[in-house]
Amino acid sequence: METVEMNSVSLKRPRSEDDVANADEIKRQKILEKSQAGNDSGQSIETVTEQPEDTKNEIIPNEESEEQEEEELEDSDEDGDPESFADMMKHGLTESDVGITKFVSSHKGFSGILKERYSDFVVHEIGKDGRVSHLDDFSVPVDDEVNFEDPSEETFTVLSDEDKQRLEELQLFKNKETSVAIEVIEDTKEKRTVIHQAVKSLFPGLETKTEDRDGKKYIIAYHAAGKKALANPRKHSWPKSRGSYCHFVLYKENKDTMDAINVLSKFLRVKPNIFSYMGTKDKRAITVQEIAVLRITAQRLAHLNKCLMNFKLGNFSYKNHPLKLGELQGNHFTVVLRNITGTDDQIEQAMHSLREIGFINYYGMQRFGTTAVPTYQIGRAILQNNWNEVMDLILKPRPGAEKGYLVKCREEWAKTKDPAAALKKLPVKRCVEGQLLRGLLKFGMKNIISAFGIIPRNNRLMYIHSYQSYVWNNMVSKRIEEYGLRAVPGDLILKGATAVHIEEGDVDNYTIHDVVMPLPGFDVIYPKHKIGEAYKEMLVADNLDINNMRHKIRDYSLSGAYRKIIIRPQNVNWEVVAYDDPKIPLFTTDLDKLEGKPLPVLPTDGKFRALKMEFSLPPSTYATMAIREVLKMDTSIKNQTQLNTTWLR
């Protein structure tokens, strides 16, 4: 079976005219809803800037005004025209830069546009039981026990905006008050009950009591158990017969998972770390996944459906356990590739090959960042214990267009090496650059290791994992170039959790789909053929010792792993459809079905053709790499934008 060298062709344009119009419309809606919020429940539509994911799912606390300022800055910077974006990407990475150079199928490639609309890319999580997550039920489960925690609709409107502001400040320990008094205007037992319920439901960690003051009734809110109460919602009101965790299906559009968790936690006024999930999902997509949250009722969660844009919550149930990262079986993808040029025969060959052979299990481009300084370079410097290089790679000026404030920050850093001065140029402090500068300000220029440690742990580990991925991609390309698509003596296979070499006499018992390759680390073995030597040569060239991947800082010691060379997707289906209007959806989503929206009637002889494809993949595999194999195109943003800005003219 032949392997084919990749052609340098681009795949998608990241921002169509339709996208820009949609973004403007969304902003108008947000402004409108914010202005109207004070006239009804006091809830406003909020956006949260992208946060680096931490293993504890925590965010860096900021004053609300600063958050809003950062949100506006980041939103405005995203709205550049496509040619500005192409400028930004001119110095970005191509696939060959990160070792992605081979194909396994023999069909002729063809072009198509991926994610012309974010709704063209839909992801459904597959749980460890093999069940695909779908949003198909908004109903709230009914308990046998009546629970004071379950709020009525009146709960969300009984408190004024001023009351909510004061209660939130009390809850978050933002002022010196030890309690907040709310006057009961219509003094009835029912009214007092609703206020008690509203405070306790909307502000976990606060308790209430009724007091008479000067002949008037007041509800007094106060902290029940100090600062720990904020992260641990009240236990005494939760029925013993009910599971401690409310599991639900989250449907989201154009937001990544941590963004979504941050938005939900802000509206519920709880810390993000009481949420758990099995895997993070793409931002530019429609995704459906299971989430669990500690001691928040389904009724409270269901109310968010009335408050939030681009989110829907449903399929509620109570269970006794949270969710854990990595527990999922995989993801099911529904993808539309628009404006395809391939013949029916080319498409059939491509899709049959995807189903029967599969694709090279490369780490996709999103693993390596989008700027002129790839994440794997920073990871390599960390592993080399070269901390000045780490600092320079993150902070120094770099070629290519960037957000204006980042350019000014980098220029200031290059000129003065003064973290305080550079930080002043940076209104968005929660980016990696801002976090590192704050660390340098706190610990000093001679303690870069501690300064770097301020960056959330998951982000720091992302850099060294990016380097592992870079090595793996390059080695797999070499392995396929050297030995093709067959198992050979010296290859590695997994027996349980242990990797063993294929011996000469056993080679006929295995196929390329059984072969794994190691991610470099201190507890792995390497192939017993030319590729084993190639690993050593690559790490020696990077001034690293393949036999000693332990770092003096434990977090940065690379424990290795194994990854299959070829992945064969499951449940592969496809269909070619014609259409005239690029703005119309070509399939119905879970939300469309719940709302009873019919699929648009498509013309049989439309001027455009689209390939609708479905497939399931295991965790930690990249759908873009499967699509790359079908189209035979470079999926890097650099190549995508260079072609597509021309196409837009």
Side-chain angles (χ1 to χ4, degrees), residues 491-510:
D491 273 337
L492 293 167
I493 56 165
L494 285 178
K495 290 192 173 178
T498 306
V500 298
H501 293 100
I502 299 177
E503 302 297 334
E504 186 77 46
D506 285 339
V507 72
D508 291 337
N509 296 328
Y510 301 103

Side-chain angles (χ1 to χ4, degrees), residues 123-129 131-134 245-251 257 261 275-281 287-293 314-319 321-324 327-328 331:
V123 187
H124 287 86
E125 193 170 68
I126 306 172
K128 58 184 177 181
D129 58 358
R131 182 179 55 83
V132 179
S133 292
H134 281 282
Y245 295 88
C246 185
H247 287 230
F248 62 95
V249 169
L250 174 66
Y251 169 104
T257 301
I261 296 298
F275 290 86
S276 57
Y277 46 88
M278 295 183 285
T280 57
K281 300 290 178 281
T287 67
V288 183
Q289 69 183 116
E290 188 173 349
I291 306 285
V293 59
N315 296 79
F316 302 102
S317 62
Y318 293 108
K319 297 180 181 178
H321 59 85
L323 296 169
K324 294 180 181 177
E327 280 187 329
L328 71 168
N331 294 289

Side-chain angles (χ1 to χ4, degrees), residues 56-72:
K56 295 182 179 179
N57 295 347
E58 291 184 352
I59 59 174
I60 300 168
N62 286 281
E63 293 300 322
E64 187 175 339
S65 59
E66 183 183 326
E67 287 182 355
Q68 289 171 350
E69 181 184 356
E70 292 186 12
E71 287 155 13
E72 288 166 8

Side-chain angles (χ1 to χ4, degrees), residues 286-335:
I286 291 175
T287 67
V288 183
Q289 69 183 116
E290 188 173 349
I291 306 285
V293 59
L294 176 65
R295 299 194 178 195
I296 299 290
T297 65
Q299 191 168 353
R300 262 182 89 186
L301 293 167
H303 180 77
L304 297 179
N305 287 330
K306 300 177 182 179
C307 306
L308 299 176
M309 282 176 58
N310 299 335
F311 297 96
K312 288 295 177 185
L313 291 67
N315 296 79
F316 302 102
S317 62
Y318 293 108
K319 297 180 181 178
N320 288 316
H321 59 85
L323 296 169
K324 294 180 181 177
L325 279 170
E327 280 187 329
L328 71 168
Q329 197 177 102
N331 294 289
H332 185 74
F333 296 87
T334 306
V335 178

Side-chain angles (χ1 to χ4, degrees), residues 124-333:
H124 287 86
E125 193 170 68
I126 306 172
K128 58 184 177 181
D129 58 358
R131 182 179 55 83
V132 179
S133 292
H134 281 282
L135 181 77
D136 52 23
D137 184 7
F138 285 140
S139 65
V140 173
V142 178
D143 280 337
D144 293 333
E145 296 184 48
V146 176
N147 179 31
F148 192 66
E149 181 79 4
D150 289 334
S152 65
E153 282 301 306
E154 193 179 355
T155 296
F156 300 98
T157 57
V158 70
L159 297 173
S160 69
D161 290 346
E162 184 184 352
D163 289 337
K164 288 177 182 176
Q165 180 68 31
R166 292 169 62 214
L167 288 164
E168 182 168 7
E169 288 174 355
L170 176 67
Q171 182 202 34
L172 298 174
F173 297 92
K174 284 188 175 181
N175 57 30
K176 295 180 180 179
E177 288 187 66
T178 57
S179 64
V180 167
I182 301 166
E183 184 180 353
V184 184
I185 305 299
E186 303 166 20
D187 182 21
T188 64
K189 184 177 180 181
E190 291 76 15
K191 188 71 173 181
R192 293 198 303 273
T193 298
V194 171
I195 297 174
H196 281 293
Q197 184 185 34
V199 173
K200 293 179 179 182
S201 297
L202 298 177
F203 301 91
L206 296 185
E207 285 292 351
T208 57
K209 60 185 178 182
T210 304
E211 282 187 6
D212 282 308
R213 294 183 180 178
D214 301 324
K216 296 179 181 178
K217 283 279 198 304
Y218 287 86
I219 305 296
I220 309 300
Y222 60 95
H223 272 287
K227 293 193 176 185
K228 289 184 179 179
L230 184 59
N232 297 295
R234 296 176 304 110
K235 296 181 179 180
H236 64 267
S237 64
W238 197 265
K240 292 180 181 178
S241 61
R242 176 194 283 173
S244 291
Y245 295 88
C246 185
H247 287 230
F248 62 95
V249 169
L250 174 66
Y251 169 104
K252 63 181 180 63
E253 299 182 359
N254 209 27
K255 275 233 184 263
D256 66 31
T257 301
M258 266 316 299
D259 264 353
I261 296 298
N262 284 334
V263 170
L264 297 179
S265 64
K266 286 182 78 174
F267 270 82
L268 293 167
R269 295 179 171 87
V270 295
K271 280 192 173 180
N273 61 7
I274 70 170
F275 290 86
S276 57
Y277 46 88
M278 295 183 285
T280 57
K281 300 290 178 281
D282 291 338
K283 176 181 178 179
R284 189 167 166 75
I286 291 175
T287 67
V288 183
Q289 69 183 116
E290 188 173 349
I291 306 285
V293 59
L294 176 65
R295 299 194 178 195
I296 299 290
T297 65
Q299 191 168 353
R300 262 182 89 186
L301 293 167
H303 180 77
L304 297 179
N305 287 330
K306 300 177 182 179
C307 306
L308 299 176
M309 282 176 58
N310 299 335
F311 297 96
K312 288 295 177 185
L313 291 67
N315 296 79
F316 302 102
S317 62
Y318 293 108
K319 297 180 181 178
N320 288 316
H321 59 85
L323 296 169
K324 294 180 181 177
L325 279 170
E327 280 187 329
L328 71 168
Q329 197 177 102
N331 294 289
H332 185 74
F333 296 87

Side-chain angles (χ1 to χ4, degrees), residues 361-363 472 515-517 561-565 620-622:
N361 192 22
Y362 287 123
Y363 286 95
W472 197 91
V515 177
V516 298
M517 293 270 284
Y562 301 95
R563 182 176 175 88
K564 284 199 169 186
I565 291 182
S620 299
T621 54
Y622 289 75

